[in-house]
């Protein structure tokens, strides 16, 4: 756009000198036409700019090491012509804390993403404009919505982990009328008539109610190393991805903890049915520290890069 404006200003200067040197009808007409052309170009291009729609095209999730790119696609009216587009594509990686800014020149350009490490890219466009036919005046256009591209880990089983599938407990819950097993207890104020077991009450000569026995929610406690080294985070995330698949099969939740840069313990709780949100939440966290083995409790597992979590198993066996 700057180059087009310089060329236009240079042309106006030449025409002004020509009009001064040769004060005639042709020189004046050429100068008037040069002054009117930007207005005419703006009027022609404005409807086309208002009809322009821009959308991002990129996968929501990709596996680490695979190819991925971001492409901008324009939908424009065929009745109204416009000039080229201008703007900057902003790609932010919160895990690495860096922002890449790319200049938009053509709509068919695909911008490749680095998928060598697990991360979550935030893609957005800043200062997005469509120029008129002469390339002098930026026209307003609706900016496309931002896009998130998540580079997912490759599931890998941790060296050691407890059997989270065992020790399923049954807990008392208000009677719901389902087919789960139940237990009997004495009637208490607030119990519903539906919960009363009338036959047993008549046989025992006292009012008893049914408490449904349902499996307790299982939650797997885990620690994860979150160092500055991207390769170390990738290895820990690979183990976390495997654990999440395993917990889904066991209908269990996850309780994940890690250390930030200041050594403060951070936590994320993901109940059953919400495990898919755990990895994207973790990828948005800044790098922190490694977790010392001394803080592990029984049945806790450490997802780490190159460090065995046998200490946790030894603690569990000693209990």
């Amino acid at each position: 756009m700057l180059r087009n404006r310089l060329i236009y200003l240079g042309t106006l200067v030449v025409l002004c000198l020509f009009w001064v040197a040769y004060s005639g009808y042709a020189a004046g007409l050429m100068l008037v036409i040069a002054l009117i052309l930007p207005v005419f170009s703006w009027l022609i291009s404005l409807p086309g700019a208002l009809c322009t729609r821009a959308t991002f095209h990129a996968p929501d999730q990709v596996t680490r090491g695979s190819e991925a790119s971001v492409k901008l696609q324009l939908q424009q009216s065929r009745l109204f012509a416009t000039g080229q587009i201008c703007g900057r594509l902003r790609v932010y990686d919160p895990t690495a804390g860096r922002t890449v800014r790319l200049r938009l020149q053509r709509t068919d350009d695909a911008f490749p993403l680095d998928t060598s490490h697990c991360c979550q890219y935030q893609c957005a466009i800043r200062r997005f404009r469509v120029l008129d036919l002469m390339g002098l005046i930026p026209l307003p256009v609706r900016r496309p919505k931002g896009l998130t591209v998540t580079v997912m880990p490759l599931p890998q089983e941790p060296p050691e982990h407890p059997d989270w599938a065992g020790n399923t407990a049954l807990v008392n819950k208000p009677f719901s009328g389902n087919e789960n097993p139940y237990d009997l207890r004495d009637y208490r104020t607030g119990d519903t008539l539906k919960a009363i077991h009338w036959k047993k009450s008549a046989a025992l000569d006292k009012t008893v109610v049914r408490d449904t026995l349902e499996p307790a929610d299982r939650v797997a406690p885990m620690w994860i190393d979150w160092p500055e080294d991207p390769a170390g985070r990738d290895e820990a995330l690979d183990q976390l991805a495997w654990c999440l698949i395993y917990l889904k099969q066991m209908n269990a939740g996850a309780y994940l903890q890690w250390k930030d840069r200041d050594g403060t313990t951070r936590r994320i709780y993901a109940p059953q049915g919400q495990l898919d949100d755990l990895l994207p939440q973790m990828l948005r966290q800044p790098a922190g520290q490694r977790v010392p083995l001394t803080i592990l409790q029984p049945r806790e597992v450490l997802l780490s890069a190159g460090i065995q979590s046998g200490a946790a198993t030894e603690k569990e066996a000693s209990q």
Side-chain angles (χ1 to χ4, degrees), residues 102-128:
L102 303 172
R103 184 177 180 183
L104 295 174
Q105 295 180 343
R106 298 185 305 174
T107 57
D108 57 348
D109 289 339
F111 302 96
L113 298 176
D114 182 13
T115 61
S116 57
H117 296 291
C118 296
C119 61
Q120 193 173 55
Y121 289 106
Q122 304 288 338
C123 304
I125 288 184
R126 296 292 183 266
R127 302 170 59 184
F128 184 56

Side-chain angles (χ1 to χ4, degrees), residues 254-304:
Y255 185 68
L256 186 63
Q257 303 179 81
W258 72 97
K259 296 287 187 179
D260 62 8
R261 286 191 177 95
D262 301 328
T264 305
T265 301
R266 303 293 182 181
R267 302 173 178 87
I268 297 179
Y269 170 62
Q272 299 178 17
Q274 299 182 16
L275 293 176
D276 291 336
D277 300 332
L278 186 57
L279 274 175
Q281 291 183 51
M282 198 63 205
L283 288 173
R284 290 193 291 266
Q285 306 299 326
Q289 302 178 4
R290 291 187 178 273
V291 178
L293 294 175
T294 55
I295 68 174
L296 295 182
Q297 300 296 323
R299 295 191 60 80
E300 288 185 346
V301 62
L302 174 61
L303 309 177
S304 177

